[in-house]
Amino acid sequence: MAKVIRIHETGGPEVLRVETEQVGAPGRGEVRLRQEAVGINAVDALVRQGLYPMPLPAIPGFEAAGVIDAVGEGVSDFAPGDRVAYFFAEGGYATEKRTSIAPLVRLPDDISTETAGAFLAKGLTAWMGLRALSSVKSGDKVLVLGASGSVGSILSRWAKALGAEVIGVAGSASKLDKVRAGATHALLATDPDAAGKIRDIAPDGVDVVYDFVGAATFGLAAAAIRDGGTIAAIGQASGQPAGAADLAQRGVVIRGGGTPQYVNGQTVTTATEALWDVIRSGILADLPIVRYPFDEIARAHADLAARRLEGIPVAIV
Ligand SMILES: NC(=O)c1ccc[n+]([C@@H]2O[C@H](COP(=O)([O-])OP(=O)(O)OC[C@H]3O[C@@H](n4cnc5c(N)ncnc54)[C@H](OP(=O)(O)O)[C@@H]3O)[C@@H](O)[C@H]2O)c1
C-alpha cells in the first residue's frame, strides 16, 4: 500500500491527512514511480489554504524524485530502475505514484533523488527569473526581495556566479547572515533606510528586482528599480502588491508568471542542465537541506507558514 497526504477541506497544516491507497499498475503511456524525495513548495501551502483552487479531496504537492518500478504499455523511453523527477505534476504528496511520462526529467548519475526533490522546482524558478524574465549579465546590479527564502537563496547565489552585484533582502533579522553568505550586500526589509542604502550601492537604481515577497516590499522594489529596469514578480509570500501605474510611466517592466510557463518543451532540458551544472559547481553547497519524514509534511507546512525554515525543505520517504 502507498501512503498519500490528502486534504478533504482547506485550512491550516492540520488538514493534511496521511492516508493509504493502492496505486495499481501503470496504464498506457504511464509509469509507476517509487518516490524517494518529495518537494515541499510555497504553492503547496496555497493549495492547502484554498488560494490555489483544486477540486477536493485533493493530494497537494507538485514535485518529487524517485525510481520507476513499472512501465505501462507504449512506454519505451523509460524502464524500471530509471531515476527520474518531476517539478510540475499534481498529486506529489505520495510514496508511490502513477504518472504519464510527460513531466518526467531523467536524473544524471551524480544528482541524488534528495537533491532533485529539494532543488528542482526551486532551481528552475531561479532559472526562470535569471534567464526568461530577465537576462542577467556580469556587472548588473540586482535586488532580491526574499533572499532568505528557498528560491531567493538559490537565485542570489546563481546571479552572483553570473557576475551580478546582488543586494539580498531578508524578512527576518535572524536570517541576515544567511543572506550575506549568498549575496554581495545584505539588508533587512524592515530597515527604515533600506531604500537609501540600496541607492548608495546603485545610485541610478538596480537593473532588476527579483521579488518573492510582494505586498510587504513592493515600495522597496519601486524605490530601488532604475528607470527602464525590470521587476521579476515571481512570488507574493506576503500577499499581492497594489498599484504599479507610476512604474509603467517610468518604463519599468513588470514580468511575472509561473515556472511551467517558461520551463516546458525544449527549455526543460536547457534549464535542468543549467541547474545541474550550478549544483555541481558547488555554489549552492552551503544551503542546508531540511529533511522531514514523509508523514510529517504538515510540520514542514507549519514551519513554512511561521517563516522558521532553516534551509531548503524536502520530505524523505
Ligand atoms: N512563479 C512561480 O512559478 C513560483 C515558483 C516558486 C515559488 N514562487 C513563489 O515565490 C515565493 C517564495 O517562495 P519560497 O519557496 O522561496 O518561499 P520561502 O522559502 O517561504 O521564502 C519566503 C521569503 O519571503 C520573505 N518574507 C515573507 N514575508 C515577508 C514580509 N512580510 N516581509 C519581508 N519578507 C518576507 C521571507 O523572509 P524571512 O524568511 O527572512 O522572514 C523569505 O525570504 C512564494 O510566494 C512562492 O509561492 C513562485
Side-chain angles (χ1 to χ4, degrees):
M1 288 289 260
K3 282 190 204 172
V4 297
I5 293 183
R6 191 175 269 118
I7 57 171
H8 294 262
E9 70 224 317
T10 57
E14 69 285 351
V15 302
L16 296 161
R17 286 199 224 155
V18 181
E19 299 179 350
T20 53
E21 72 177 26
Q22 202 72 50
V23 173
R28 187 173 179 80
E30 288 185 335
V31 302
R32 190 176 60 207
L33 196 56
R34 187 165 42 74
Q35 304 207 129
E36 295 182 344
V38 174
I40 298 167
N41 291 290
V43 65
D44 307 347
L46 300 181
V47 169
R48 192 202 75 224
Q49 293 167 297
L51 299 172
Y52 181 116
M54 282 175 76
L56 298 178
I59 300 176
F62 293 96
E63 175 185 33
V67 181
I68 291 175
D69 73 357
V71 302
E73 217 183 308
V75 173
S76 53
D77 291 351
F78 292 96
D82 286 353
R83 298 163 59 255
V84 295
Y86 57 86
F87 62 92
F88 199 73
E90 289 182 6
Y93 286 1
T95 59
E96 288 172 45
K97 179 178 165 61
R98 275 170 37 198
T99 173
S100 84
I101 60 168
L104 297 181
V105 173
R106 198 181 288 281
L107 294 182
D109 290 345
D110 60 344
I111 300 293
S112 69
T113 48
E114 177 179 292
T115 297
F119 284 98
L120 186 61
K122 297 167 188 73
L124 294 181
T125 302
W127 180 91
M128 168 184 77
L130 296 167
R131 287 288 164 255
L133 299 181
S134 68
S135 184
V136 161
K137 53 189 190 315
S138 187
D140 281 354
K141 293 185 185 202
V142 308
L143 176 69
V144 183
L145 300 167
S148 45
S150 293
V151 186
S153 60
I154 295 170
L155 184 141
S156 298
R157 284 160 176 77
W158 198 333
K160 205 168 145 191
L162 291 168
E165 184 170 353
V166 179
I167 308 168
V169 177
S172 309
S174 60
K175 297 185 189 167
L176 260 181
D177 282 345
K178 179 180 178 187
V179 170
R180 201 166 284 121
T184 322
H185 313 273
L187 293 173
L188 193 55
T190 49
D191 179 342
D193 191 29
K197 287 176 179 161
I198 293 167
R199 285 283 170 168
D200 286 346
I201 298 163
D204 298 328
V206 298
D207 299 293
V208 189
V209 174
Y210 297 100
D211 186 9
F212 296 100
V213 180
T217 54
F218 186 72
L220 198 51
I225 191 70
R226 69 165 166 77
D227 292 354
T230 299
I231 297 179
I234 301 175
Q236 300 170 348
S238 68
Q240 209 159 358
D246 51 339
L247 286 174
Q249 289 234 321
R250 290 174 47 205
V252 172
V253 177
I254 303 182
R255 303 192 68 192
T259 311
Q261 270 170 267
Y262 291 94
V263 185
N264 58 44
Q266 261 313 107
T267 27
V268 174
T269 307
T270 310
T272 50
E273 282 176 1
L275 174 62
W276 305 144
D277 282 346
V278 157
I279 290 171
R280 288 178 188 121
S281 77
I283 63 164
L284 306 180
D286 68 317
L287 287 176
I289 290 179
V290 185
R291 300 168 184 84
Y292 293 86
F294 177 80
D295 289 8
E296 294 178 28
I297 284 181
R299 185 161 61 79
H301 276 235
D303 289 347
L304 189 102
R307 291 161 64 183
R308 59 174 178 244
L309 283 176
E310 301 269 315
I312 313 284
V314 67
I316 302 298
V317 176

Coordinates of all heavy atoms in Angstrom, one line a residue, residues 42 125 128 146-152 170-172 175 189 212-213 216-217 234-238 257-259 304 307, ligand 1:
A42 N 6.1 26.5 -1.7 CA 5.2 27.5 -1.1 C 3.8 27.3 -1.8 O 2.8 27.5 -1.1 CB 5.7 28.9 -1.4
T125 N 12.8 27.7 -11.0 CA 12.2 29.0 -10.8 C 13.3 30.1 -10.8 O 13.1 31.2 -11.4 CB 11.4 29.0 -9.5 OG1 10.4 28.0 -9.5 CG2 10.7 30.4 -9.3
M128 N 14.2 30.6 -14.3 CA 13.2 31.4 -15.0 C 13.4 32.9 -14.7 O 13.4 33.7 -15.7 CB 11.8 31.0 -14.5 CG 10.7 32.0 -14.9 SD 9.1 31.6 -14.2 CE 9.3 32.2 -12.5
G146 N 13.4 38.7 -0.5 CA 13.1 37.3 -0.1 C 14.3 36.5 -0.3 O 14.2 35.3 -0.6
A147 N 15.5 37.1 -0.2 CA 16.8 36.4 -0.4 C 17.0 35.3 0.6 O 17.9 34.5 0.4 CB 17.9 37.4 -0.5
S148 N 16.3 35.4 1.7 CA 16.5 34.4 2.8 C 15.6 33.1 2.5 O 15.8 32.1 3.2 CB 16.1 35.0 4.1 OG 14.9 35.7 4.0
G149 N 14.7 33.2 1.5 CA 13.8 32.1 1.3 C 14.5 31.0 0.4 O 15.6 31.2 -0.1
S150 N 13.7 30.0 0.1 CA 14.3 28.9 -0.7 C 14.7 29.3 -2.0 O 15.9 29.1 -2.5 CB 13.3 27.7 -0.8 OG 13.0 27.2 0.5
V151 N 13.8 29.9 -2.8 CA 14.1 30.3 -4.2 C 15.1 31.5 -4.2 O 16.0 31.5 -4.9 CB 12.8 30.6 -5.0 CG1 13.2 30.8 -6.4 CG2 11.8 29.5 -4.9
G152 N 14.8 32.4 -3.3 CA 15.7 33.6 -3.3 C 17.1 33.3 -2.9 O 18.0 33.9 -3.5
A170 N 16.5 40.2 3.5 CA 15.8 39.2 4.4 C 14.6 39.9 5.0 O 14.5 41.1 5.2 CB 16.8 38.8 5.5
G171 N 13.6 39.0 5.3 CA 12.5 39.5 6.1 C 12.7 39.4 7.6 O 12.1 40.2 8.3
S172 N 13.5 38.5 8.0 CA 13.7 38.3 9.5 C 15.2 38.6 9.8 O 16.1 38.1 9.0 CB 13.5 36.8 9.9 OG 12.2 36.4 9.4
K175 N 17.9 36.0 9.8 CA 18.4 35.3 8.5 C 19.4 36.2 7.7 O 19.7 35.9 6.6 CB 17.2 35.0 7.7 CG 16.3 33.9 8.4 CD 15.2 33.4 7.5 CE 14.2 32.6 8.3 NZ 13.0 32.3 7.6
A189 N 14.4 43.9 5.4 CA 13.3 44.5 4.7 C 12.7 45.6 5.6 O 12.2 46.6 5.1 CB 12.2 43.5 4.4
F212 N 10.1 38.0 -4.4 CA 9.4 36.8 -3.9 C 8.4 37.2 -2.8 O 7.8 36.3 -2.2 CB 10.5 35.8 -3.4 CG 11.4 35.3 -4.5 CD1 12.6 35.9 -4.6 CD2 10.9 34.4 -5.4 CE1 13.5 35.4 -5.7 CE2 11.7 34.0 -6.4 CZ 13.0 34.5 -6.6
V213 N 8.3 38.5 -2.5 CA 7.6 38.8 -1.2 C 6.3 39.5 -1.5 O 5.3 39.3 -0.9 CB 8.5 39.7 -0.3 CG1 7.8 40.1 0.9 CG2 9.8 39.0 0.0
A216 N 4.5 43.4 1.0 CA 5.3 44.0 2.1 C 6.6 44.7 1.6 O 7.1 45.6 2.2 CB 5.8 42.9 3.1
T217 N 7.1 44.4 0.4 CA 8.3 45.0 -0.1 C 8.1 45.7 -1.4 O 9.1 46.1 -2.0 CB 9.4 44.0 -0.2 OG1 8.9 42.9 -1.1 CG2 9.9 43.4 1.1
I234 N 8.0 37.3 -9.0 CA 7.9 35.8 -9.0 C 7.0 35.3 -7.9 O 6.2 34.3 -8.1 CB 9.3 35.2 -9.0 CG1 10.1 35.6 -10.2 CG2 9.2 33.6 -8.9 CD1 11.6 35.2 -10.1
G235 N 7.0 35.9 -6.7 CA 6.3 35.4 -5.6 C 5.6 36.5 -4.8 O 6.0 37.7 -4.9
Q236 N 4.7 36.1 -4.0 CA 4.0 37.0 -3.1 C 3.9 36.4 -1.7 O 2.7 36.3 -1.2 CB 2.6 37.3 -3.7 CG 2.7 37.8 -5.1 CD 1.4 37.9 -5.9 OE1 0.4 37.3 -5.5 NE2 1.4 38.6 -7.0
A237 N 5.0 36.1 -1.1 CA 5.0 35.5 0.2 C 4.2 36.3 1.2 O 3.7 35.7 2.2 CB 6.4 35.2 0.7
S238 N 4.1 37.6 1.0 CA 3.4 38.4 2.0 C 2.0 39.0 1.4 O 1.4 39.8 2.0 CB 4.2 39.6 2.4 OG 4.4 40.5 1.3
G257 N 4.7 35.3 -13.8 CA 4.4 34.1 -14.5 C 4.8 32.9 -13.6 O 5.5 33.0 -12.6
G258 N 4.4 31.7 -14.1 CA 4.7 30.5 -13.3 C 5.9 29.7 -14.0 O 6.0 29.8 -15.2
T259 N 6.6 29.0 -13.3 CA 7.7 28.3 -13.8 C 7.3 27.4 -15.0 O 8.0 27.3 -16.0 CB 8.4 27.4 -12.7 OG1 8.6 28.3 -11.6 CG2 9.7 26.9 -13.1
L304 N 7.0 26.5 7.4 CA 7.0 27.5 6.2 C 6.1 28.7 6.6 O 6.5 29.9 6.4 CB 6.4 26.8 5.0 CG 6.5 27.5 3.7 CD1 7.7 27.0 2.9 CD2 5.3 27.4 2.9
R307 N 7.7 31.1 9.0 CA 8.9 31.7 8.5 C 10.1 31.2 9.3 O 11.0 31.9 9.6 CB 8.9 33.2 8.4 CG 7.9 33.6 7.3 CD 7.5 35.1 7.4 NE 8.5 36.1 7.3 CZ 8.3 37.4 7.5 NH1 7.1 37.8 7.7 NH2 9.3 38.2 7.4
Ligands
LIG1 N1 6.0 32.0 -10.1 C1 6.4 30.7 -9.8 O1 6.3 29.8 -10.6 C2 6.9 30.4 -8.4 C3 7.7 29.3 -8.2 C4 8.2 29.1 -6.9 C5 7.9 30.0 -5.9 N2 7.1 31.0 -6.1 C6 6.7 32.0 -5.0 O2 7.9 32.6 -4.6 C7 7.7 32.9 -3.2 C8 8.9 32.4 -2.4 O3 9.0 31.0 -2.5 P1 10.0 30.3 -1.5 O4 9.9 28.8 -1.7 O5 11.3 30.9 -1.6 O6 9.3 30.6 -0.1 P2 10.0 30.8 1.4 O7 11.2 29.9 1.4 O8 9.0 30.7 2.3 O9 10.6 32.3 1.4 C9 9.7 33.4 1.6 C10 10.6 34.6 1.6 O10 9.7 35.8 1.8 C11 10.2 36.6 2.9 N3 9.0 37.2 3.5 C12 7.9 36.6 3.8 N4 7.1 37.6 4.4 C13 7.7 38.7 4.4 C14 7.4 40.0 4.8 N5 6.2 40.3 5.4 N6 8.4 41.0 4.7 C15 9.6 40.7 4.1 N7 9.9 39.5 3.7 C16 9.0 38.5 3.8 C17 10.9 35.6 3.8 O11 11.8 36.3 4.7 P3 12.3 35.7 6.1 O12 12.2 34.2 6.0 O13 13.7 36.2 6.2 O14 11.3 36.2 7.1 C18 11.6 34.7 2.8 O15 12.8 35.3 2.3 C19 6.4 32.3 -2.8 O16 5.4 33.3 -2.8 C20 6.1 31.3 -3.8 O17 4.7 31.0 -4.0 C21 6.6 31.3 -7.4

